[in-house]
PDB file of all heavy atoms in Angstrom:
ATOM      1  N   LEU A1316      16.997  29.858  38.665  1.00 95.00           N
ATOM      2  CA  LEU A1316      17.124  31.310  38.332  1.00 95.00           C
ATOM      3  C   LEU A1316      17.754  31.436  36.979  1.00 95.00           C
ATOM      4  O   LEU A1316      17.264  32.213  36.033  1.00 95.00           O
ATOM      5  CB  LEU A1316      17.818  32.055  39.335  1.00 95.00           C
ATOM      6  CG  LEU A1316      17.119  32.176  40.698  1.00 95.00           C
ATOM      7  CD1 LEU A1316      18.020  33.075  41.656  1.00 95.00           C
ATOM      8  CD2 LEU A1316      15.730  32.856  40.503  1.00 95.00           C
ATOM      9  N   LEU A1369      28.384  45.934  43.403  1.00 84.00           N
ATOM     10  CA  LEU A1369      28.162  44.903  42.444  1.00 84.00           C
ATOM     11  C   LEU A1369      26.802  44.406  42.388  1.00 84.00           C
ATOM     12  O   LEU A1369      26.316  43.787  41.366  1.00 84.00           O
ATOM     13  CB  LEU A1369      29.055  43.666  42.910  1.00 84.00           C
ATOM     14  CG  LEU A1369      30.601  43.904  42.653  1.00 84.00           C
ATOM     15  CD1 LEU A1369      31.406  42.739  43.203  1.00 84.00           C
ATOM     16  CD2 LEU A1369      30.876  44.031  41.125  1.00 84.00           C
ATOM     17  N   LEU A1370      25.916  44.722  43.461  1.00 85.00           N
ATOM     18  CA  LEU A1370      24.639  44.333  43.380  1.00 85.00           C
ATOM     19  C   LEU A1370      23.877  44.938  42.256  1.00 85.00           C
ATOM     20  O   LEU A1370      22.793  44.478  41.864  1.00 85.00           O
ATOM     21  CB  LEU A1370      23.975  44.653  44.773  1.00 85.00           C
ATOM     22  CG  LEU A1370      24.412  43.799  45.904  1.00 85.00           C
ATOM     23  CD1 LEU A1370      23.790  44.291  47.281  1.00 85.00           C
ATOM     24  CD2 LEU A1370      24.251  42.305  45.663  1.00 85.00           C
ATOM     25  N   ASN A1372      24.954  45.055  39.200  1.00 90.00           N
ATOM     26  CA  ASN A1372      25.259  44.425  37.984  1.00 90.00           C
ATOM     27  C   ASN A1372      24.454  43.199  37.839  1.00 90.00           C
ATOM     28  O   ASN A1372      24.756  42.163  38.460  1.00 90.00           O
ATOM     29  CB  ASN A1372      26.715  44.142  38.023  1.00 90.00           C
ATOM     30  CG  ASN A1372      27.305  43.399  36.858  1.00 90.00           C
ATOM     31  OD1 ASN A1372      26.468  43.065  35.999  1.00 90.00           O
ATOM     32  ND2 ASN A1372      28.575  43.302  36.641  1.00 90.00           N
ATOM     33  N   HIS A1375      26.469  39.979  37.315  1.00 92.00           N
ATOM     34  CA  HIS A1375      27.033  39.532  38.591  1.00 92.00           C
ATOM     35  C   HIS A1375      25.964  38.682  39.355  1.00 92.00           C
ATOM     36  O   HIS A1375      26.240  37.612  39.895  1.00 92.00           O
ATOM     37  CB  HIS A1375      27.512  40.678  39.381  1.00 92.00           C
ATOM     38  CG  HIS A1375      28.099  40.185  40.695  1.00 92.00           C
ATOM     39  ND1 HIS A1375      27.577  40.576  41.861  1.00 92.00           N
ATOM     40  CD2 HIS A1375      29.108  39.388  40.961  1.00 92.00           C
ATOM     41  CE1 HIS A1375      28.323  40.019  42.876  1.00 92.00           C
ATOM     42  NE2 HIS A1375      29.259  39.290  42.356  1.00 92.00           N
ATOM     43  N   ALA A1376      24.771  39.216  39.450  1.00 92.00           N
ATOM     44  CA  ALA A1376      23.774  38.482  40.182  1.00 92.00           C
ATOM     45  C   ALA A1376      23.491  37.091  39.636  1.00 92.00           C
ATOM     46  O   ALA A1376      23.369  36.117  40.476  1.00 92.00           O
ATOM     47  CB  ALA A1376      22.405  39.392  40.133  1.00 92.00           C
ATOM     48  N   VAL A1377      23.344  36.991  38.497  1.00 92.00           N
ATOM     49  CA  VAL A1377      23.056  35.635  37.822  1.00 92.00           C
ATOM     50  C   VAL A1377      24.234  34.750  38.027  1.00 92.00           C
ATOM     51  O   VAL A1377      24.134  33.584  38.256  1.00 92.00           O
ATOM     52  CB  VAL A1377      22.568  35.862  36.280  1.00 92.00           C
ATOM     53  CG1 VAL A1377      22.404  34.381  35.645  1.00 92.00           C
ATOM     54  CG2 VAL A1377      21.368  36.731  36.118  1.00 92.00           C
ATOM     55  N   GLU A1379      26.471  34.932  40.096  1.00 91.00           N
ATOM     56  CA  GLU A1379      26.680  34.605  41.566  1.00 91.00           C
ATOM     57  C   GLU A1379      25.720  33.469  42.067  1.00 91.00           C
ATOM     58  O   GLU A1379      26.016  32.590  42.973  1.00 91.00           O
ATOM     59  CB  GLU A1379      26.496  35.888  42.398  1.00 91.00           C
ATOM     60  CG  GLU A1379      27.057  35.911  43.768  1.00 91.00           C
ATOM     61  CD  GLU A1379      28.523  35.602  43.941  1.00 91.00           C
ATOM     62  OE1 GLU A1379      29.239  35.715  42.831  1.00 91.00           O
ATOM     63  OE2 GLU A1379      28.941  35.203  44.911  1.00 91.00           O
ATOM     64  N   SER A1380      24.480  33.501  41.371  1.00 92.00           N
ATOM     65  CA  SER A1380      23.556  32.439  41.869  1.00 92.00           C
ATOM     66  C   SER A1380      23.997  31.044  41.458  1.00 92.00           C
ATOM     67  O   SER A1380      23.502  30.055  41.956  1.00 92.00           O
ATOM     68  CB  SER A1380      22.177  32.776  41.289  1.00 92.00           C
ATOM     69  OG  SER A1380      22.121  32.602  39.930  1.00 92.00           O
ATOM     70  N   ALA A1383      28.091  30.781  43.745  1.00 91.00           N
ATOM     71  CA  ALA A1383      28.088  30.788  45.146  1.00 91.00           C
ATOM     72  C   ALA A1383      27.889  29.395  45.706  1.00 91.00           C
ATOM     73  O   ALA A1383      28.613  28.975  46.592  1.00 91.00           O
ATOM     74  CB  ALA A1383      27.120  31.836  45.686  1.00 91.00           C
ATOM     75  N   GLU A1387      31.511  29.237  47.026  1.00 82.00           N
ATOM     76  CA  GLU A1387      31.375  30.253  48.183  1.00 82.00           C
ATOM     77  C   GLU A1387      30.506  29.792  49.342  1.00 82.00           C
ATOM     78  O   GLU A1387      29.888  30.684  49.941  1.00 82.00           O
ATOM     79  CB  GLU A1387      31.047  31.475  47.571  1.00 82.00           C
ATOM     80  CG  GLU A1387      32.014  32.086  46.687  1.00 82.00           C
ATOM     81  CD  GLU A1387      31.514  33.366  45.879  1.00 82.00           C
ATOM     82  OE1 GLU A1387      30.557  33.005  45.085  1.00 82.00           O
ATOM     83  OE2 GLU A1387      31.965  34.352  45.996  1.00 82.00           O
ATOM     84  N   GLY A1389      27.587  28.920  49.431  1.00 76.00           N
ATOM     85  CA  GLY A1389      26.215  29.529  49.335  1.00 76.00           C
ATOM     86  C   GLY A1389      26.014  31.011  49.169  1.00 76.00           C
ATOM     87  O   GLY A1389      25.038  31.567  48.748  1.00 76.00           O
ATOM     88  N   GLY A1390      27.183  31.721  49.521  1.00 77.00           N
ATOM     89  CA  GLY A1390      27.090  33.250  49.235  1.00 77.00           C
ATOM     90  C   GLY A1390      26.209  33.972  50.197  1.00 77.00           C
ATOM     91  O   GLY A1390      25.713  33.352  51.222  1.00 77.00           O
ATOM     92  N   ASN A1391      26.027  35.175  49.982  1.00 82.00           N
ATOM     93  CA  ASN A1391      25.285  36.002  50.893  1.00 82.00           C
ATOM     94  C   ASN A1391      23.851  36.313  50.465  1.00 82.00           C
ATOM     95  O   ASN A1391      23.505  36.189  49.306  1.00 82.00           O
ATOM     96  CB  ASN A1391      25.969  37.238  51.306  1.00 82.00           C
ATOM     97  CG  ASN A1391      26.144  38.283  50.146  1.00 82.00           C
ATOM     98  OD1 ASN A1391      25.016  38.521  49.579  1.00 82.00           O
ATOM     99  ND2 ASN A1391      27.223  38.664  49.790  1.00 82.00           N
ATOM    100  N   ALA A1392      23.027  36.658  51.430  1.00 86.00           N
ATOM    101  CA  ALA A1392      21.553  36.820  51.136  1.00 86.00           C
ATOM    102  C   ALA A1392      21.279  37.963  50.162  1.00 86.00           C
ATOM    103  O   ALA A1392      20.355  37.739  49.431  1.00 86.00           O
ATOM    104  CB  ALA A1392      20.824  37.004  52.482  1.00 86.00           C
ATOM    105  N   TYR A1393      22.153  38.950  50.143  1.00 86.00           N
ATOM    106  CA  TYR A1393      21.787  40.080  49.308  1.00 86.00           C
ATOM    107  C   TYR A1393      21.934  39.668  47.826  1.00 86.00           C
ATOM    108  O   TYR A1393      21.213  40.151  47.048  1.00 86.00           O
ATOM    109  CB  TYR A1393      22.724  41.301  49.726  1.00 86.00           C
ATOM    110  CG  TYR A1393      22.499  41.841  50.970  1.00 86.00           C
ATOM    111  CD1 TYR A1393      23.410  41.852  52.126  1.00 86.00           C
ATOM    112  CD2 TYR A1393      21.230  42.590  51.228  1.00 86.00           C
ATOM    113  CE1 TYR A1393      23.139  42.469  53.305  1.00 86.00           C
ATOM    114  CE2 TYR A1393      21.032  43.228  52.427  1.00 86.00           C
ATOM    115  CZ  TYR A1393      21.857  43.120  53.450  1.00 86.00           C
ATOM    116  OH  TYR A1393      21.623  43.735  54.652  1.00 86.00           O
ATOM    117  N   ALA A1394      23.040  39.018  47.647  1.00 87.00           N
ATOM    118  CA  ALA A1394      23.261  38.395  46.290  1.00 87.00           C
ATOM    119  C   ALA A1394      22.055  37.720  45.762  1.00 87.00           C
ATOM    120  O   ALA A1394      21.640  37.900  44.674  1.00 87.00           O
ATOM    121  CB  ALA A1394      24.624  37.664  46.119  1.00 87.00           C
ATOM    122  N   TRP A1395      21.551  36.820  46.669  1.00 91.00           N
ATOM    123  CA  TRP A1395      20.376  35.978  46.234  1.00 91.00           C
ATOM    124  C   TRP A1395      19.250  36.910  45.943  1.00 91.00           C
ATOM    125  O   TRP A1395      18.517  36.729  44.968  1.00 91.00           O
ATOM    126  CB  TRP A1395      20.149  34.891  47.206  1.00 91.00           C
ATOM    127  CG  TRP A1395      21.127  33.770  47.153  1.00 91.00           C
ATOM    128  CD1 TRP A1395      22.159  33.493  47.981  1.00 91.00           C
ATOM    129  CD2 TRP A1395      21.169  32.745  46.231  1.00 91.00           C
ATOM    130  NE1 TRP A1395      22.730  32.384  47.534  1.00 91.00           N
ATOM    131  CE2 TRP A1395      22.182  31.812  46.493  1.00 91.00           C
ATOM    132  CE3 TRP A1395      20.206  32.414  45.073  1.00 91.00           C
ATOM    133  CZ2 TRP A1395      22.514  30.773  45.789  1.00 91.00           C
ATOM    134  CZ3 TRP A1395      20.541  31.351  44.321  1.00 91.00           C
ATOM    135  CH2 TRP A1395      21.641  30.488  44.692  1.00 91.00           C
ATOM    136  N   LEU A1396      19.093  37.739  46.897  1.00 92.00           N
ATOM    137  CA  LEU A1396      17.867  38.596  46.819  1.00 92.00           C
ATOM    138  C   LEU A1396      17.885  39.415  45.411  1.00 92.00           C
ATOM    139  O   LEU A1396      16.939  39.454  44.696  1.00 92.00           O
ATOM    140  CB  LEU A1396      17.854  39.577  47.931  1.00 92.00           C
ATOM    141  CG  LEU A1396      16.527  40.552  47.932  1.00 92.00           C
ATOM    142  CD1 LEU A1396      15.309  39.590  48.217  1.00 92.00           C
ATOM    143  CD2 LEU A1396      16.668  41.430  49.070  1.00 92.00           C
ATOM    144  N   SER A1397      19.041  39.968  45.226  1.00 91.00           N
ATOM    145  CA  SER A1397      19.145  40.817  43.908  1.00 91.00           C
ATOM    146  C   SER A1397      19.027  39.886  42.778  1.00 91.00           C
ATOM    147  O   SER A1397      18.437  40.276  41.752  1.00 91.00           O
ATOM    148  CB  SER A1397      20.510  41.556  43.881  1.00 91.00           C
ATOM    149  OG  SER A1397      21.563  40.608  43.597  1.00 91.00           O
ATOM    150  N   ALA A1398      19.486  38.607  42.786  1.00 92.00           N
ATOM    151  CA  ALA A1398      19.348  37.732  41.640  1.00 92.00           C
ATOM    152  C   ALA A1398      17.840  37.429  41.452  1.00 92.00           C
ATOM    153  O   ALA A1398      17.381  37.565  40.210  1.00 92.00           O
ATOM    154  CB  ALA A1398      20.031  36.423  41.912  1.00 92.00           C
ATOM    155  N   CYS A1399      17.091  37.224  42.488  1.00 95.00           N
ATOM    156  CA  CYS A1399      15.736  37.033  42.417  1.00 95.00           C
ATOM    157  C   CYS A1399      14.966  38.202  41.844  1.00 95.00           C
ATOM    158  O   CYS A1399      14.202  38.054  40.862  1.00 95.00           O
ATOM    159  CB  CYS A1399      15.063  36.697  43.744  1.00 95.00           C
ATOM    160  SG  CYS A1399      15.563  35.165  44.365  1.00 95.00           S
ATOM    161  N   ILE A1400      15.332  39.425  42.212  1.00 94.00           N
ATOM    162  CA  ILE A1400      14.730  40.616  41.700  1.00 94.00           C
ATOM    163  C   ILE A1400      15.034  40.871  40.247  1.00 94.00           C
ATOM    164  O   ILE A1400      14.138  41.128  39.491  1.00 94.00           O
ATOM    165  CB  ILE A1400      15.178  41.883  42.546  1.00 94.00           C
ATOM    166  CG1 ILE A1400      14.565  41.771  43.977  1.00 94.00           C
ATOM    167  CG2 ILE A1400      14.670  43.037  41.879  1.00 94.00           C
ATOM    168  CD1 ILE A1400      15.086  42.802  44.904  1.00 94.00           C
ATOM    169  N   TYR A1401      16.236  40.677  39.902  1.00 95.00           N
ATOM    170  CA  TYR A1401      16.526  40.850  38.390  1.00 95.00           C
ATOM    171  C   TYR A1401      15.877  39.800  37.595  1.00 95.00           C
ATOM    172  O   TYR A1401      15.468  40.060  36.462  1.00 95.00           O
ATOM    173  CB  TYR A1401      18.128  40.688  38.124  1.00 95.00           C
ATOM    174  CG  TYR A1401      18.895  41.944  38.638  1.00 95.00           C
ATOM    175  CD1 TYR A1401      19.996  41.859  39.487  1.00 95.00           C
ATOM    176  CD2 TYR A1401      18.581  43.157  38.114  1.00 95.00           C
ATOM    177  CE1 TYR A1401      20.574  42.917  39.902  1.00 95.00           C
ATOM    178  CE2 TYR A1401      19.199  44.352  38.439  1.00 95.00           C
ATOM    179  CZ  TYR A1401      20.289  44.256  39.441  1.00 95.00           C
ATOM    180  OH  TYR A1401      20.982  45.340  39.740  1.00 95.00           O
TER     181      TYR A1401
END
Side-chain angles (χ1 to χ4, degrees):
Chain A
L1316 286 185
L1369 288 175
L1370 293 178
N1372 179 350
H1375 177 246
V1377 176
E1379 199 56 19
S1380 67
E1387 293 167 297
N1391 70 54
Y1393 290 115
W1395 282 103
L1396 187 64
S1397 72
C1399 289
I1400 291 172
Y1401 284 125

